[in-house]
Amino acid sequence: MTTAIGVREVSQPPAEVWRALAVLEPYCAVCDVSYVVDRPGSGPGVGTTFVCAPGQLAGGAPRPGSPRGEILAWDELRLVITRLDLTPETWTTRIELAGTPAGGTRVSITVTHEPVGGSRVVRRLQRGAMRRLVQRTVDAELAKVPAHVARAAHTS
């Protein structure tokens, strides 16, 4: 298992950042990813499952084999944890929000990669590369936070 953590502060209050980061919209233009949620119309929460597919979906149906995910924790305005199952790996993302004294938000993102099956020897050989990939993933997600917040403000 490989884990990386990163933190970024933004000037917007936690409620705005939560709306920008924790709500699974049908399509996220910032990430170029579509989500198909199992309970459309109802609010997301623990146990909500979804399919995540690259690009914008034509007709609303994900491609066969698209990664499946689940919300593992949901504490409105503070914490969301999701798991995305790919073959042969699982990615878990934890997003925590905390207010700052200036009225902004401290965003903490933790990403964990866990291989499923496969050779321990191969995993050991790839360990350094995987550590770098997971850290780059965290850094890239933190870099997108301002764009997510700006997009959410524009669409509300």
Side-chain angles (χ1 to χ4, degrees):
M1 189 173 347
T2 305
T3 299
I5 301 168
V7 176
R8 177 176 190 145
E9 287 190 12
V10 293
S11 60
Q12 293 81 7
E16 285 182 42
V17 178
W18 176 263
R19 190 172 55 251
L21 297 181
V23 176
L24 293 174
E25 305 234 358
Y27 175 69
C28 176
V30 175
C31 298
D32 191 28
V33 171
S34 292
Y35 297 97
V36 178
V37 179
D38 74 340
R39 296 187 274 184
S42 67
V46 173
T48 299
T49 59
F50 57 92
V51 175
C52 176
Q56 194 162 10
L57 299 178
R63 296 166 192 88
S66 293
R68 300 186 96 34
E70 180 179 2
I71 296 175
L72 303 177
W74 183 272
D75 184 357
E76 189 101 10
L77 300 178
R78 193 185 79 71
L79 171 74
V80 62
I81 301 173
T82 61
R83 180 186 68 230
L84 193 60
D85 295 317
L86 290 86
T87 304
E89 57 197 3
T90 299
W91 291 81
T92 304
T93 302
R94 177 185 185 99
I95 300 172
E96 290 183 84
L97 305 181
T100 64
T105 304
R106 181 177 190 258
V107 180
S108 300
I109 296 180
T110 304
V111 173
T112 300
H113 170 269
E114 185 171 3
V116 178
S119 164
R120 282 189 283 167
V121 173
V122 171
R123 286 195 303 254
R124 179 171 271 250
L125 291 171
Q126 295 175 338
R127 187 177 299 156
M130 186 52 66
R131 258 194 300 267
R132 290 186 296 277
L133 173 63
V134 175
Q135 186 62 59
R136 281 194 313 267
T137 300
V138 169
D139 296 343
E141 292 305 313
L142 287 169
K144 290 185 230 176
V145 169
H148 280 288
V149 172
R151 181 176 177 276
H154 180 69
T155 59
S156 355

